[in-house]
Each structure stands twice: as C-alpha cells, then as structure tokens.
Amino acid sequence: MLKNYLLVAFRNLSKNKAFSFINIVGLAIGMAACLLILQYVSFELSFDNFHAKKDRIYRINQDRYNNGKLSTQWAGGAFAPGSAFKAALPEIEDFVKIVGAGQALANYKDQKMVIKNDYFAGASFFNIFSFPLISGDPRTALKEPNTVVISEEVAQTLFHNIDPVGQSLIINSNRHLKITGVMKNLPVNSHMKFDFLQSYATLLKDNPPNKDYNLDNAWLSDGCTTYLLLRPGVDPKILESKFIPVVKKVYDAYKSAGEGGVYTLQSVQSIHLYSNRMLEFQPNGDGKSVYLLLGIAIFVIIIAWINYINLATARGIGRAKEVGVRKTLGSAKAQLITQFMLEAMLLNGLAILLAVVLILICLPGFSHVSGLQMGFDMFTRPIFWGSMLSIFVLGSFFSGFYPAIVLSSFRPVEVMKGKILASPKGVVLRKAMVIFQFAASIFLLIGSLTVFRQLKFMQNQKLGVKIDQTLVIKPPLIKVDSFYRDMSAFKQESLTQSAIKNVTVSTSIPGEPVPWNAGGIKLTTADQSQGKQYRIIGSDYDYLAAYDLKLIAGRKFSRSFGDEPHSVVFNKKAVEQLGFNKPEEALGKRIDFWGQVYTIVGVVDNFHQQSLRDAYDAIIFRCIPDVRGYVSVKISTSNLPKTIADLKKTWSSFFPGDQFDYFFLDQHFNDQYQTDQRFGQVFGVFTGIAIFVACLGLFGLVSYTIVQRTKEIGIRKVLGATVNSILTLLYKDFAALVVISFVVSAPSAWYTINKWLQTYAFRVDIDPFLFLVPFLIVMVIAFATVSYLSIKAALTNPVKSLKTE
C-alpha cells in the first residue's frame, strides 16, 4: 500500500502542477526564512553558555541614586564590593575584578601592535571563566604584578611562531610586562571583548594605598566590573538582600544620600540581551528584538502551513470521488489518513530540500543584513539539522493532520449528492486561517513601519552638537612629560593649514557614554546630603566652540580669563539637577567638586551626547588646558586625502612612534544605530517574506475558488453581468476578511510597538498613519491578487465557462 500511496501522491502533484508549485514554494520559503531566523536567534541566545560554571557566575551591577532618584546604572561600578561581599558572605565562593585600561601600543623588538581591548583582571579570572589557555598556568597567570596574558591573535602578530610565555614586551614605551599565558581567541558569543589581560596586581602597584585612600577598597570610585562565583545552590535574590546591611554600614559613614548605591546581581548568561549600562565591554543585543524576530519566524512558518491546509482542504472537494471509491473498495479511515499524511510528508520533504537550496543562495545576503557572519559551516551544526528535522516533523503533522481528517471523513453515499460543497465548517475554518494570515501580515507591517520611522527620526533629529566635518584622532598612547607642550605645538602647526578650522582635545566625544562620572557634587552652600551625580567632560579652551554647543547663559571658556581651570560650564539638565529653574540663576555660583571649588561661568543647551535611545545627561564641562584625550579636528572636505596626509605628517613630527589612528565622528555617531538598523532590515525583509507567502496561499485559494465558480461566472455573463460586477462579487468576501484581520491585529500591534518604543528616550508618536498604511498595503495586495485571477475568469468566453464540469 505504501507504494500505491506514494504513486498516487506523485500523480496528484503532477496533475495539479499550479497548486503543487504554490504549496512547495510557499512551504520552502517559509522554512528557509524560519531556519535563518532560528540560527540568528540561537546565536543571540548562546552568549556565554560555554562557561562551565555559567549557572553560578553573576555580575555585580551598581545603581547610583540622587536623593532616591536613579541617576546612573553601572556595569562596572565601585572597586570595594567584591572584596567586601566575599569577606562578609560565605555564599560567595570566589570573585574577580576587571578594570578597563583603554588602548595600548605593544612592542616586541621591531614588532608593534595597537591593543584595542586592554584590561586588568584579578588572579581568579580563569577559575571563574572558561577561557582556555594555549600555554601558561591559569592558576598563576594573573597573580603577580607586571604580568600579562595575551590572545592568540596578539601572540601571532608580535611573536609569530615563537612561544611568547616567559618573554617580555613593552607597552606605551614605558612599561615592561612579562607574558605568563596565551589565551585562545575569545568566542564571538562572549559579552566580553579583550585581547590583553594585565594582572590586577599591576593596577594596585601603580596606585598604592595611603592613609586617605585605598583603590582596592574604594566605594566612591567607579570603573571596576566585578563578577562573583556563587556556591552551588545559592539563591541570587536572597544573596542580594544580604548586600543591603553591608552597603548601608559603609554609606552611613559617608553621611551622603547623594553617594548612595544599590547593588544587584545579574546572571552572566543574561548580560548580552538584557543589559545596557555604563562600562559594558561592548554594545549588547536586545532581548525584546530577538524574541520579536523569533515571533516573525513562527508567523512565517505558520502562514506557510496554513497555505497547505487551505489548499488541501479546498482541493478535497475534487478528491471526494477518490475517497468514495476507496471506501467502497474497503479502505479504512486510518488507511486514508495514512495516505494523506504521507502526501503531506512528501510535499514537506520536497519543500525542505528546496529550502536548503534557498538558504545556500540567500546566506551571504542574510549575513550582510543581520551583521551575523553565518558561513556555510552552519550546515555542520547539530542545532541547524535539529531545527530542520523539527520543522519537517511539525510541518508534516500540522499541515497534514487536519486535511487528512477532513478528506478521510467523506461519506461515499453523500459524495455524489454534493453535500460536501455546502459544509459550513470547512469554509469557516479556511476563512479563519486566511484572517490569521492577513492579521499576521498587518501586524508585521505595522511593526516594520514603526521601526523604519523611529530609525529615520533618530538619524534626522537635530543633535544640538555639530559633529559633521570632524576627524577624531584617538588619544596618544605613549606617555611623555612634554605632552602639553607637544599638543599645543601640534594644534598651532595644524591650524596653519587652510583646510583645518579648529583643533580641540577632550576626555570624551559625542557618540559614546561619558566615562568620567562624579558623585557628591553640590553647591558650596548646600548640605553634604545634597550631593548629586554628574558626567564630567574635561577639555581645553576650544571644545565648546568647536562643537558649536549653544550657549544659553553666561560665557564659554576663554584664554582671556586667568583662572579658567577653576571654572565650569553646565548644560541645562545639570543646572536643573542642581536646583535652578533658570540657567541665569546658576551663573557665578560655586560648587564643591571633591573638595575643590569651581565657579559656574556658563550654561549650554542640552544636546545628544549619545543616541536618541538615551535621555539627556547632566554634564559638567571642566577646562583642563593640558588634558589628554581625543583630538577633534574640524576640517574642510574639499581635498580630504591631502588634508589627512598633511595632518598625519604633522602628528608624526610631534608624536613620533605613536599611531595616527583616526575616524570620522558622524560615522562614529551613527554606528550607535547599527544594531537598530540591522534589526529594522531583518524585520523588514522577513515581513516581506511573510506577506509574499500569504499572497501565494491567497493566489492558490482564489484560483481554486474561481475554478469552482467558473460555471456561475459564465451564467452571470450570459445574463448580462459586467466584468466589474463579477470582480466585486469575487472580491467582497476577501475584502471583508482583510477588514476583520485589521481589527484583530491592530490592538496587539499597538501594544507591541508601544512597548518597543518605550525603550527609546526620544521616539516617534504612535499615530493612525502607522496603522492605516499597512492596512491599505495589505488591502491593495489582496485586491491585486484577487483581481488578476478574477478579471481573467470574467473575460473568459461564457461558452467555455458553461462547458466546465
């Protein structure tokens, strides 16, 4: 019988070529889209799963408050909590402190390399995290001062085929480090990114304790990321509650509400998708977006399965006689179900083979759009084949089971009476499934349009700071005592070039978080408890003018005033946080900044230091004439290659041996939106695929409907019906389904996009346009699909139509 079932299945496929093509292509596209998205989602969900102790590794997150109001959320906070919590709480097995060291210029003999991700890490690092060493002892590699563990890539660049362990290299021309280990390059699904791990003992050696300050036990100095290894069975929420008395005892001693901090635990596995804090290792992903894409994958594959169910049950009327004959000859219902399930498996099998071909063709394009480098090695991963097998099994069952039950239930006696044609249950179910397809399409279109509008809004919004025509040179890495003199001379020499309009040096630039955070800042006349958190940007005299920040009160920094290093400029948000309603009220006021007194000489308007996802920061500008940091060069773009070449030559003459590492600020700022842009592109592409698959199903269903009503159309034409009236007759049912679909999808779409938009501090409004346009698009697509076939049927000669059986 199996041979007979397969033979009949192949005959049905070849007999109904159009329907077979629509079914196979629709399923294949749905499967390919689903598999690609599942690979993307599985990658995003796989971050930090490779750590052997992942279930017990937690990061200490720090929230700073100003008088009960959240001001700063840190991934890397104070230095003290790790040591203090370990000493006070036996539930903690181990801990490690990690501190950013910026960039470094590494030298080994005649080999040089810029290390972009340089960190200090405690001796327990390799006990907690599963980053294997190629050579070296993980227990002692980070124990002693002036030691370093390097990555495989650094080892290959500087040492080629020599074993680096035991060798010494020089960083920034003034520090010798002994290499104690070579670590395998970090997996791409790690939330950490580093190439160079200096021992934390090195940092403590450079910052020895004195009677007033001990960096390792500091509660008010931020910048240290701390990870805990909990003992087996410890509940992190219960452990968090035990932090409170330890912290309270410390902060009570400071008697400063402005310095208060709250410490919480975050699982290492959740950091990539659910953390966007100060001092993250790199920009993280977005859990909501990932699960939204997973929802799209489910929508697409369900739409493809619905197409099969709709077409199979609609075509079932044409197979009623086949079922009647089989039953008359003795076929049992179970045998008929087996036959139709085998047909579904055959069709799903052909579809999944075509899906693999589509994936091979589309993989490079998908990798480009998603930003995920998915090579053909994905076909070697068990998760890919597991996903494919699951889709095949589920698809065969869900798409085949209902049609099999319906078709096997035909009663031979009633088949010839045509009662199956009048069965309302099948019609209602098919309409319900079409409604689901259109509802899903409208939902996805609303989401896609919202993402597009939000991205456009962020990119076109005025920033309040001038970032165009700005070339930024990264800070010099080689430390020299004559830095201020050399930088001053570099600026003067550069400004002699007609293409260079301004040069300024600052600790921060627009487009990234301000790393200098200071708490406890208050008016000199205020109580200590009024101290608050501010972001600090240190700059020379020219920063405010070079970036064209709008002055709303007072003045900017100027060399005309002799005591500018004791002057500060606030932005509007910082003035409001200080307690003033009008910017003018703050002028001339003096603030206490960690025991030093500074005078407010000016107020600039709020500006977007980062993307529009973030709210305005309270920023204080300090004039530091000898500041080390980014060098921002305002240039003319008329002859850019020559300008850059001249600038590089000037740089090399004043900073010999240092790297001329530069980028353009507008591109750097827009890089913040890269994740959002990729999400928008992926969302848009798969929304289009979902609509296309839905239209394939609609095309097939309309085709079959018209075949069933061919004689009716012929009779109507003979009786005088026009093409328009026949078109209206055929279209009105589908138009009603689109309207119902919109009513079903609009509330859930509104809820979803509202939740998504709330993650942005500055966002577009939800207006009727976001709903009306997707509704009209789906209506037009449905109309075009129905019209093409309906007009063709309406124009057919009535004589041919009346001959149809």
Side-chain angles (χ1 to χ4, degrees):
M1 290 303 295
L2 181 62
K3 180 180 178 181
N4 177 260
Y5 293 157
L6 291 174
L7 183 61
V8 171
F10 276 111
R11 282 177 178 174
N12 274 306
L13 286 176
S14 60
K15 180 181 178 182
N16 301 282
K17 294 182 176 62
F19 292 102
S20 300
F21 175 80
I22 290 172
N23 258 331
I24 293 173
V25 171
L27 279 172
I29 293 173
M31 289 174 174
C34 186
L35 285 168
L36 284 173
I37 295 179
L38 286 177
Q39 298 311 301
Y40 177 86
V41 171
S42 65
F43 172 76
E44 290 290 299
L45 295 177
S46 72
F47 269 70
D48 298 297
N49 285 344
F50 55 85
H51 295 298
K53 303 173 183 177
K54 58 182 180 294
D55 296 330
R56 297 193 286 136
I57 303 173
Y58 287 81
R59 186 179 70 188
I60 299 178
N61 288 337
Q62 174 185 280
D63 295 335
R64 294 284 194 191
Y65 285 82
N66 287 329
N67 297 325
K69 185 177 180 181
L70 182 64
S71 63
T72 315
Q73 293 186 299
W74 289 88
F79 282 72
S83 312
F85 294 157
K86 175 67 169 68
L89 303 169
E91 294 92 335
I92 299 172
E93 180 179 314
D94 205 349
F95 71 95
V96 63
K97 299 179 182 181
I98 304 173
V99 182
Q103 291 190 339
L105 181 62
N107 294 68
Y108 175 74
K109 296 182 178 178
D110 59 342
Q111 300 293 321
K112 292 183 180 181
M113 182 180 184
V114 174
I115 308 297
K116 295 184 177 181
N117 299 301
D118 182 12
Y119 287 86
F120 297 101
S124 299
F125 182 85
F126 293 107
N127 175 49
I128 295 175
F129 298 106
S130 301
F131 295 120
L133 293 184
I134 297 173
S135 57
D137 186 346
R139 295 170 298 177
T140 60
L142 294 171
K143 189 175 182 179
E144 299 297 328
N146 297 327
T147 56
V148 64
V149 173
I150 62 177
S151 70
E152 213 176 344
E153 181 183 354
V154 174
Q156 183 62 34
T157 302
L158 292 178
F159 296 91
H160 303 298
N161 297 321
I162 301 173
D163 183 5
V165 174
Q167 302 291 329
S168 291
L169 53 73
I170 303 172
I171 63 168
N172 301 338
S173 298
N174 64 350
R175 179 186 295 283
H176 292 259
L177 296 175
K178 181 181 178 181
I179 299 172
T180 53
V182 177
M183 179 178 52
K184 292 190 72 172
N185 291 330
L186 266 63
V188 291
N189 58 341
S190 169
H191 81 279
M192 296 180 177
K193 286 290 178 284
F194 50 79
D195 308 297
F196 216 68
L197 278 183
Q198 300 184 56
S199 65
Y200 182 72
T202 306
L203 177 65
L204 296 183
K205 182 181 179 182
D206 291 344
N207 297 272
N210 55 51
K211 63 177 182 177
D212 298 319
Y213 184 73
N214 184 345
L215 177 66
D216 193 38
N217 296 326
W219 285 92
L220 302 184
S221 296
D222 296 325
C224 178
T225 305
T226 304
Y227 293 85
L228 303 181
L229 179 65
L230 308 188
R231 296 191 187 278
V234 172
D235 187 331
K237 288 298 179 185
I238 296 176
L239 182 61
E240 274 183 13
S241 66
K242 296 183 179 182
F243 291 168
I244 297 174
V246 178
V247 175
K248 186 176 185 299
K249 183 178 180 181
V250 172
Y251 285 120
D252 283 349
Y254 290 109
K255 300 184 183 303
S256 170
E259 293 294 347
V262 174
Y263 297 88
T264 56
L265 293 176
Q266 182 172 14
S267 166
V268 69
Q269 294 169 276
S270 69
I271 289 173
H272 174 67
L273 291 181
Y274 300 102
S275 186
N276 183 27
R277 292 169 166 262
M278 297 284 289
L279 289 189
E280 297 282 1
F281 281 90
Q282 60 176 338
N284 285 322
D286 183 352
K288 290 181 180 178
S289 299
V290 168
Y291 283 106
L292 198 54
L293 288 174
L294 181 59
I296 294 177
I298 294 172
F299 274 156
V300 170
I301 195 64
I302 289 177
I303 288 171
W305 289 340
I306 285 174
N307 285 349
Y308 180 88
I309 295 170
N310 269 340
L311 292 175
T313 53
R315 284 178 53 226
I317 298 168
R319 301 186 67 179
K321 289 183 180 179
E322 175 192 342
V323 173
V325 170
R326 284 184 176 273
K327 281 195 168 185
T328 301
L329 295 175
S331 289
K333 186 173 182 178
Q335 289 177 307
L336 291 168
I337 291 175
T338 301
Q339 175 190 344
F340 293 121
M341 287 296 292
L342 278 173
E343 287 188 19
M345 290 180 67
L346 175 62
L347 199 138
N348 275 271
L350 293 173
I352 211 158
L353 291 175
L354 180 57
V356 172
V357 175
L358 291 175
I359 289 172
L360 289 169
I361 295 171
C362 299
L363 191 58
F366 179 75
S367 297
H368 174 73
V369 170
S370 67
L372 180 62
Q373 296 306 312
M374 294 172 57
F376 295 110
D377 61 332
M378 67 179 285
F379 292 99
T380 65
R381 298 171 189 164
I383 190 170
F384 175 81
W385 295 105
S387 300
M388 180 179 290
L389 180 61
S390 299
I391 288 174
F392 170 71
V393 173
L394 291 173
S396 299
F397 177 78
F398 285 120
S399 64
F401 184 73
Y402 176 74
I405 293 295
V406 171
L407 299 179
S408 64
S409 299
F410 291 165
R411 299 174 64 180
V413 177
E414 296 178 348
V415 165
M416 299 308 296
K417 297 179 181 179
K419 287 188 176 181
I420 193 66
L421 294 172
S423 173
K425 292 182 180 179
V427 174
V428 170
L429 183 60
R430 282 199 296 275
K431 287 184 177 180
M433 289 189 287
V434 170
I435 287 172
F436 175 84
Q437 288 182 310
F438 282 133
S441 299
I442 292 171
F443 176 91
L444 294 175
L445 270 174
I446 292 172
S448 187
L449 183 60
T450 303
V451 172
F452 172 77
R453 285 191 66 186
Q454 177 63 22
L455 287 173
K456 188 176 181 181
F457 169 77
M458 291 191 297
Q459 292 175 325
N460 295 338
Q461 188 78 354
K462 291 184 178 179
L463 300 175
V465 58
K466 188 177 181 181
I467 63 172
D468 59 323
Q469 295 184 316
T470 305
L471 181 148
V472 178
I473 307 172
K474 292 183 179 180
L477 299 175
I478 299 176
K479 294 179 173 64
V480 292
D481 295 333
S482 60
F483 172 78
Y484 175 61
R485 183 178 67 249
D486 293 340
M487 181 55 70
S488 299
F490 168 76
K491 290 172 64 176
Q492 291 176 6
E493 180 68 23
S494 299
L495 289 171
T496 61
Q497 301 177 38
S498 59
I500 296 178
K501 304 170 184 177
N502 208 329
V503 182
T504 182
V505 186
S506 59
T507 56
S508 298
I509 54 170
E512 55 188 40
V514 178
W516 186 357
N517 183 77
I521 297 175
K522 64 180 185 62
L523 292 170
T524 54
T525 56
D527 183 79
Q528 187 66 32
S529 64
Q530 298 302 309
K532 293 182 173 64
Q533 300 274 327
Y534 294 86
R535 306 283 190 270
I536 313 299
I537 295 180
S539 71
D540 58 17
Y541 294 97
D542 305 309
Y543 182 87
L544 300 175
Y547 278 104
D548 199 21
L549 294 176
K550 183 181 178 182
L551 188 70
I552 56 177
R555 63 176 179 82
K556 297 179 181 180
F557 297 130
S558 172
R559 293 177 177 81
S560 304
F561 296 86
D563 198 29
E564 288 296 69
H566 286 90
S567 299
V568 289
V569 172
F570 277 44
N571 73 342
K572 186 179 178 182
K573 178 70 179 292
V575 166
E576 292 170 351
Q577 185 168 286
L578 201 59
F580 297 106
N581 295 321
K582 297 180 179 179
E584 294 80 6
E585 295 174 356
L587 298 178
K589 298 295 190 295
R590 299 195 301 166
I591 62 168
D592 181 352
F593 190 138
W594 294 355
Q596 296 291 321
V597 176
Y598 296 86
T599 303
I600 302 174
V601 298
V603 180
V604 296
D605 204 359
N606 291 328
F607 65 97
H608 294 286
Q609 170 67 23
Q610 294 176 252
S611 77
L612 274 70
R613 182 185 288 272
D614 304 293
Y616 290 127
D617 270 332
I619 297 176
I620 298 175
F621 297 92
R622 277 185 51 184
C623 182
I624 307 174
D626 60 346
V627 64
R628 294 181 66 96
Y630 292 101
V631 182
S632 301
V633 184
K634 295 290 183 175
I635 60 175
S636 168
T637 57
S638 57
N639 191 356
L640 197 56
K642 183 178 185 304
T643 301
I644 294 175
D646 292 343
L647 198 60
K648 181 179 181 180
K649 183 178 179 182
T650 306
W651 177 269
S652 300
S653 65
F654 289 101
F655 301 100
D658 223 318
Q659 298 292 310
F660 181 73
D661 193 356
Y662 71 92
F663 55 87
F664 291 100
L665 187 58
D666 53 353
Q667 181 60 51
H668 179 72
F669 195 95
N670 286 330
D671 284 345
Q672 297 176 98
Y673 300 123
Q674 193 172 68
T675 300
D676 296 302
Q677 288 170 336
R678 285 173 175 168
F679 170 70
Q681 290 173 337
V682 172
F683 198 106
V685 167
F686 287 100
T687 295
I689 290 173
I691 293 171
F692 177 74
V693 173
C695 286
L696 276 179
L698 180 63
F699 187 89
L701 199 57
V702 173
S703 298
Y704 197 80
T705 301
I706 290 173
V707 169
Q708 294 296 99
R709 302 180 70 173
T710 300
K711 184 171 287 187
E712 176 192 346
I713 293 171
I715 293 171
R716 287 181 179 275
K717 288 196 70 177
V718 169
L719 294 176
T722 64
V723 173
N724 287 339
S725 64
I726 293 173
L727 184 60
T728 302
L729 174 71
L730 296 171
Y731 183 68
K732 64 180 181 181
D733 289 339
F734 291 101
L737 296 181
V738 175
V739 173
I740 296 171
S741 301
F742 175 75
V743 173
V744 170
S745 64
S748 57
W750 180 89
Y751 176 81
T752 304
I753 64 174
N754 185 55
K755 284 288 186 182
W756 183 76
L757 287 172
Q758 284 178 7
T759 61
Y760 294 86
F762 300 88
R763 51 187 178 267
V764 295
D765 296 324
I766 299 177
D767 56 40
F769 173 83
L770 292 173
F771 296 84
L772 181 61
V773 170
F775 170 71
L776 292 176
I777 289 173
V778 171
M779 186 68 84
V780 168
I781 290 173
F783 179 79
T785 305
V786 175
S787 297
Y788 170 76
L789 296 168
S790 301
I791 292 173
K792 185 178 179 181
L795 293 175
T796 302
N797 190 325
V799 176
K800 292 183 179 179
S801 300
L802 293 173
K803 288 181 179 178
T804 302
E805 291 294 336

